[in-house]
Amino acid sequence: MQWYVIFKKEILENWRNMKWIWVPIVFILFAVMDPITTYYLPKIMDAVGGIPEGAVVDIPMPNANEAILMSFNELGLLGVLITVVIAMGVISGEMKSGVYELILSKPVKYTNYVSAKFMSLALIVFLSIFLAVVAGWYYVSLLFGSIDFTKILTSILFFSLYFALIIGIVIMVNTWVQSPGVVAFLSLIIIIALNVLTSIYGHIFTWSPALIGDYIGEYLHSGVLSTEIWYSALMAVIFTFACIQFAILTLKNRALQ
Amino acid sequence: MLINQDLILLLLPVLILQLILLVIAIIDLIRIEKANGPKWVWALVIIFINIIGPIVYFIFGRRP
């Protein structure tokens, strides 16, 4: 009950500061841009000119799977960036402005407070990813060729788990410092470290959540869900829970001091 | 020909989304009491910088 009250307050706030509108639109634009520009690149080059007479520019046209992977990659970069930015002030900003004390002067459980914040953010981001990938799929189907929609849905589900982890990390960092800018900076460092470590030791950490994007590529290509993608998804869920628990613990300890 | 009807029809949804983004950024800018910096600068940023302008406004322009 209490959880629902905080959750509703968060949803309302995100509605007032327009996150419900601009985040999905921005995600859709990110996902759609790459397939379209790739498709029209040869024509753009023709129109702009500057290529010497007789030179043959042969840019290989990607197939449908490669094209939709471009959308996923774009979301994996810029989408993550936007996610970090919209989550950076979610607790730290309230601590700074004093709203945090106001809320917790009432008997509000930390678990409810943190998890409601997490869910409200996750809802926006999941919706945005869904709309973005479906929009990307629409353009890829028009320009490159058809892809099975169930494949896309499955990919979206796994991809969302990666984003849940991102939100978890940002919320955890939120409880450490009070400046939203520093939160974004630290979160990005953690996320980049996760990705760098994974790309170096990828053969050992085959369960790393940062590999979900790669496994989605394999899945789209082969149509078979590998065991690794399940492990990665499981680890993403576990890490997300750990981050949230850690955030709750940090807040509790701060209250005791 | 680069610009033909097919291309315009294809890009129409993207253009509409861009327009919505621009319009809600402007509406938000008018509605909030104080922006992070002069409002007219933000208005210029939103209108003249494609896609990035409204995003930057929503991230940095509206600090409580």
Side-chain angles (χ1 to χ4, degrees), chain A residues 241-254:
Chain A
F241 265 100
C243 285
I244 292 172
Q245 283 305 326
F246 199 63
I248 295 168
L249 268 178
T250 317
L251 288 183
K252 273 184 185 160
N253 283 337
R254 177 163 298 172

Side-chain angles (χ1 to χ4, degrees), chain A residues 190-203 205 208 210:
Chain A
I190 294 176
I191 294 163
I192 291 168
L194 177 74
N195 278 291
V196 167
L197 280 178
T198 305
S199 59
I200 296 173
Y201 299 107
H203 51 290
F205 301 131
S208 166

Side-chain angles (χ1 to χ4, degrees), chain A:
Chain A
M1 198 53 228
Q2 185 188 53
W3 185 88
Y4 190 65
V5 172
I6 305 175
F7 182 66
K8 245 170 62 179
K9 176 223 149 217
E10 283 300 313
I11 300 273
L12 190 70
E13 202 178 305
N14 288 335
W15 184 247
R16 288 212 180 109
N17 58 30
M18 304 261 188
K19 274 180 192 163
W20 277 107
I21 307 173
W22 75 264
V23 179
I25 292 180
V26 168
F27 270 53
I28 291 172
L29 290 176
F30 285 159
V32 157
M33 280 305 174
D34 250 22
I36 293 180
T37 43
T38 310
Y39 183 79
Y40 281 105
L41 194 59
K43 286 184 185 174
I44 293 169
M45 302 248 289
D46 270 357
V48 172
I51 304 159
E53 201 68 36
V56 181
V57 185
D58 200 17
I59 305 163
M61 231 349 122
N63 65 26
N65 288 336
E66 284 160 3
I68 193 74
L69 257 186
M70 285 178 182
S71 298
F72 276 111
N73 286 338
E74 201 78 359
L75 288 176
L77 281 173
L78 297 170
V80 166
L81 202 65
I82 296 287
T83 310
V84 169
V85 164
I86 63 168
M88 67 184 179
V90 74
I91 294 174
S92 61
E94 289 196 345
M95 281 181 173
K96 211 176 181 181
S97 65
V99 179
Y100 175 76
E101 273 84 10
L102 206 71
I103 291 173
L104 292 167
S105 63
K106 299 191 173 68
V108 173
K109 276 193 182 148
Y110 291 104
T111 319
N112 290 341
Y113 178 73
V114 174
S115 61
K117 295 240 170 219
F118 173 82
M119 278 311 290
S120 67
L121 277 172
L123 214 60
I124 294 182
V125 173
F126 289 175
L127 176 85
S128 305
I129 292 173
F130 177 78
L131 292 177
V133 176
V134 169
W137 171 77
Y138 171 75
Y139 274 106
V140 168
S141 317
L142 279 183
L143 301 175
F144 295 94
S146 62
I147 307 176
D148 203 1
F149 190 62
T150 45
K151 265 188 183 176
I152 297 295
L153 280 180
T154 321
S155 308
I156 292 173
L157 283 179
F158 281 104
F159 206 54
S160 301
L161 292 177
Y162 177 60
F163 275 80
L165 175 63
I166 303 291
I167 301 171
I169 289 173
V170 183
I171 285 196
M172 176 178 74
V173 179
N174 254 290
T175 58
W176 298 348
V177 278
Q178 291 194 6
S179 155
V182 180
V183 170
F185 179 72
L186 288 178
S187 311
L188 283 176
I189 285 188
I190 294 176
I191 294 163
I192 291 168
L194 177 74
N195 278 291
V196 167
L197 280 178
T198 305
S199 59
I200 296 173
Y201 299 107
H203 51 290
I204 306 169
F205 301 131
T206 52
W207 40 262
S208 166
L211 285 172
I212 286 181
D214 296 7
Y215 292 142
I216 285 175
E218 284 173 23
Y219 165 65
L220 286 173
H221 189 68
S222 68
V224 186
L225 283 169
S226 56
T227 34
E228 283 94 349
I229 196 172
W230 288 105
Y231 280 120
S232 297
L234 184 71
M235 288 318 281
V237 173
I238 291 173
F239 278 149
T240 310
F241 265 100
C243 285
I244 292 172
Q245 283 305 326
F246 199 63
I248 295 168
L249 268 178
T250 317
L251 288 183
K252 273 184 185 160
N253 283 337
R254 177 163 298 172
L256 288 176
Q257 277 164 13

Side-chain angles (χ1 to χ4, degrees), chain B residues 11 15 20 31-32 34 37-38 40 43-44 50 55 59 61-63:
Chain B
L11 288 181
L15 295 177
I20 296 174
R31 239 180 27 178
I32 60 171
K34 259 190 114 163
W40 62 274
L44 291 182
N50 202 4
I55 299 176
I59 295 170
R62 47 181 351 279
R63 278 292 154 72

